[in-house]
Amino acid sequence: MSHELPKLSFSYDALEPFMDAKTVEIHYTKHHQAYLDNFNKTLAKHPELAEKPVDELLDNVNEIPEDIRQAIINHGGGYWNHSFFWSILKKDTMPKGELLQAIDSDFGSFSDFKEQFRNAALTQFGSGWAWLVLNKEGKLEVVKTSNHDNPISQGKIPLLVIDVWEHAYYLKYKNLRADYIDNFFQIINWDQVAKYYGEAKNGRK
Ligand code: MN3
C-alpha cells in the first residue's frame, strides 16, 4: 500500500482573495506531492510500516527504525500536516457551540485565543507550523513546531493549523507573514475544527 494525496474539497481559487489560487495549486501539486513521494520512498525501505496510519507513526516516533526515523518525521510529517491543513480551510464559517465555550474558558476569550495563535505563527523562527491542540489534560493550547514536526509526537491532538513555511504565502504576501496570518482567520473552517474537537474529546488519538 502506498499513501495518496487527499482530494481537495475546494477549487484552487475558493479561498481568494485571502489565499490565492496559484499558491494553493503549487502548494498542493508540488510541495505536498513531493512530501508524499518522499514519504512513500522512505516507507519502501521498511514496507511493514506502510500499512500504519501516518498519525500512528508520528505518535510513536521512537518505535520507528532509526535509519528512517528522521525521514518519516520530515516527509511523513510534511504529508500529514498538509493533508490536515487543507481540511481546515474554508471561507465564511464561525466558531460556535462547545468549541467556542472551550476557547473562552481555556484562553479567556476568542480574541485572547486569536492573539496567542497569531503570535505563535508570527514568532515561529524559520519554517514551521502553529497549532491549536487538545493537550493531555483535556485543555486547548496553542503550540508551534519547527519544520514538519507534529504535536501528535508530544501527545497532543491537532485541531487547527497554519503553515508558516514561506512557500505557504510568499507568492502573494512576500515577506509579510503577519498579513498572511491576519487574513488566515478569514479562511478557517470552524465547522471542521469543531468536528476534530468533538472527536478529540471522545478519545480519538
Ligand atoms: Mn506547506
Side-chain angles (χ1 to χ4, degrees):
M1 182 191 98
S2 59
H3 293 274
E4 291 173 4
L5 218 52
K7 242 178 108 59
L8 291 186
S9 64
F10 49 83
S11 59
Y12 295 145
D13 64 356
L15 306 169
E16 293 267 10
F18 309 110
M19 190 181 286
D20 61 294
K22 200 73 200 161
T23 294
V24 173
E25 181 180 355
I26 294 173
H27 201 170
Y28 175 68
T29 64
K30 305 294 182 197
H31 293 274
H32 196 179
Q33 182 72 51
Y35 293 120
L36 170 65
D37 292 344
N38 285 318
F39 180 43
N40 281 328
K41 264 183 225 162
T42 303
L43 286 170
K45 295 176 190 162
H46 286 273
E48 74 280 6
L49 297 181
E51 302 296 326
K52 291 200 176 196
V54 192
D55 51 353
E56 202 180 307
L57 291 173
L58 298 175
D59 193 13
N60 300 288
V61 287
N62 291 328
E63 291 170 19
I64 300 171
E66 216 175 327
D67 62 317
I68 60 163
R69 187 178 300 156
Q70 193 58 48
I72 294 287
I73 292 170
N74 293 345
H75 304 301
Y79 168 59
W80 192 94
N81 293 359
H82 284 93
S83 301
F84 186 76
F85 178 65
W86 303 126
S87 80
I88 55 85
L89 298 179
K90 191 181 181 182
K91 282 201 288 196
D92 302 323
T93 70
M94 294 287 286
K96 52 183 187 284
E98 273 183 42
L99 173 64
L100 185 57
Q101 286 170 17
I103 288 174
D104 284 341
S105 119
D106 294 343
F107 293 100
S109 68
F110 184 76
S111 69
D112 286 318
F113 152 72
K114 203 171 158 179
E115 190 51 39
Q116 274 196 42
F117 189 80
R118 182 183 190 277
N119 193 48
L122 197 57
T123 60
Q124 168 53 39
F125 184 72
S127 297
W129 305 75
W131 310 76
L132 174 67
V133 300
L134 191 70
N135 67 22
K136 287 178 186 164
E137 290 73 44
K139 301 279 184 203
L140 296 174
E141 188 185 346
V142 165
V143 297
K144 52 186 175 178
T145 60
S146 292
N147 303 315
H148 290 319
D149 291 359
N150 189 300
I152 294 174
S153 306
Q154 305 154 22
K156 297 171 180 182
I157 304 175
L159 306 176
L160 165 68
V161 75
I162 180 170
D163 186 343
V164 292
W165 285 58
E166 279 189 344
H167 68 231
Y169 60 87
Y170 202 85
L171 278 183
K172 179 179 171 72
Y173 294 98
K174 304 296 182 283
N175 59 316
L176 303 176
R177 189 192 283 194
D179 290 356
Y180 161 65
I181 297 165
D182 288 339
N183 279 339
F184 184 79
F185 285 98
Q186 303 294 326
I187 53 169
I188 294 174
N189 183 347
W190 285 107
D191 298 333
Q192 186 60 48
V193 179
K195 190 165 171 264
Y196 287 142
Y197 177 67
E199 289 169 358
K201 286 295 265 189
N202 288 324
R204 182 189 67 97
K205 284 287 285 184

